[in-house]
Amino acid sequence: MIRLVVREFDEYDEALPCADGHRVLRGRQQRDWRLAVMDLHGVGLMRGRAGAASIYSAAGSAGLFSFLIPLTRHDQVLIDGHRFDRQTIAWLAPGRVFHIDSRQPASWLSVTIAKELLMSWFGSHEDAGH
């Protein structure tokens, strides 16, 4: 597991393994930026904590599906213009551009699954969803 605690958001963004994006802060930094990353052979888990309100624009990595769950400040997070609540998650497709607008510093969880692993799972469980 990789753990990172940094004061500046640039280093935090560079450490994100599944997206290459650009962040603009919406306000002053209120706390450290934190990131924990775990690779489980085709499934990646990331838990992050933003240190400031920000707008982050990126494209998902090719070959990786992700979903994002805000852990705090649900009502202060918008992804592609859609506001979150406690029952909402974001599904991020490979190569698709997304925009995260966090109006307050927030914590989040991301699960990333390799496309090959996801397709293999769907193929071996075709009847499970009927």
Side-chain angles (χ1 to χ4, degrees), residues 14-69:
E14 288 173 14
L16 291 171
C18 299
D20 184 21
H22 177 74
R23 185 179 308 274
V24 176
L25 298 185
R26 294 177 53 106
R28 69 175 183 79
Q29 184 165 317
Q30 298 179 22
R31 57 189 182 187
D32 289 335
W33 297 78
R34 295 178 180 247
L35 185 65
V37 180
M38 182 181 291
D39 180 16
L40 302 171
H41 306 289
V43 176
L45 301 175
M46 282 191 294
R47 186 183 69 217
R49 184 182 87 174
S54 65
I55 298 173
Y56 181 68
S57 297
S61 294
L64 297 175
F65 286 95
S66 299
F67 61 89
L68 181 74
I69 305 165

Side-chain angles (χ1 to χ4, degrees), residues 3-128:
R3 291 181 190 259
L4 176 72
V5 178
V6 295
R7 186 84 185 123
E8 301 296 325
F9 73 91
D10 290 337
E11 188 176 351
Y12 173 85
D13 285 348
E14 288 173 14
L16 291 171
C18 299
D20 184 21
H22 177 74
R23 185 179 308 274
V24 176
L25 298 185
R26 294 177 53 106
R28 69 175 183 79
Q29 184 165 317
Q30 298 179 22
R31 57 189 182 187
D32 289 335
W33 297 78
R34 295 178 180 247
L35 185 65
V37 180
M38 182 181 291
D39 180 16
L40 302 171
H41 306 289
V43 176
L45 301 175
M46 282 191 294
R47 186 183 69 217
R49 184 182 87 174
S54 65
I55 298 173
Y56 181 68
S57 297
S61 294
L64 297 175
F65 286 95
S66 299
F67 61 89
L68 181 74
I69 305 165
L71 298 175
T72 62
R73 312 275 185 165
H74 301 83
D75 61 336
Q76 297 295 310
V77 176
L78 287 89
I79 295 188
D80 294 335
H82 300 283
R83 187 172 306 277
F84 277 72
D85 59 28
R86 292 188 185 277
Q87 288 78 40
T88 306
I89 65 170
W91 181 256
L92 307 174
R96 300 268 327 254
V97 173
F98 61 90
H99 308 281
I100 301 173
D101 182 352
S102 176
R103 297 184 176 180
Q104 295 288 322
S107 296
W108 52 271
L109 173 69
S110 172
V111 179
T112 303
I113 305 167
K115 181 179 179 179
E116 297 80 24
L117 180 61
L118 189 63
M119 294 300 126
S120 170
W121 187 85
F122 282 141
S124 65
H125 294 87
E126 286 181 16
D127 297 330

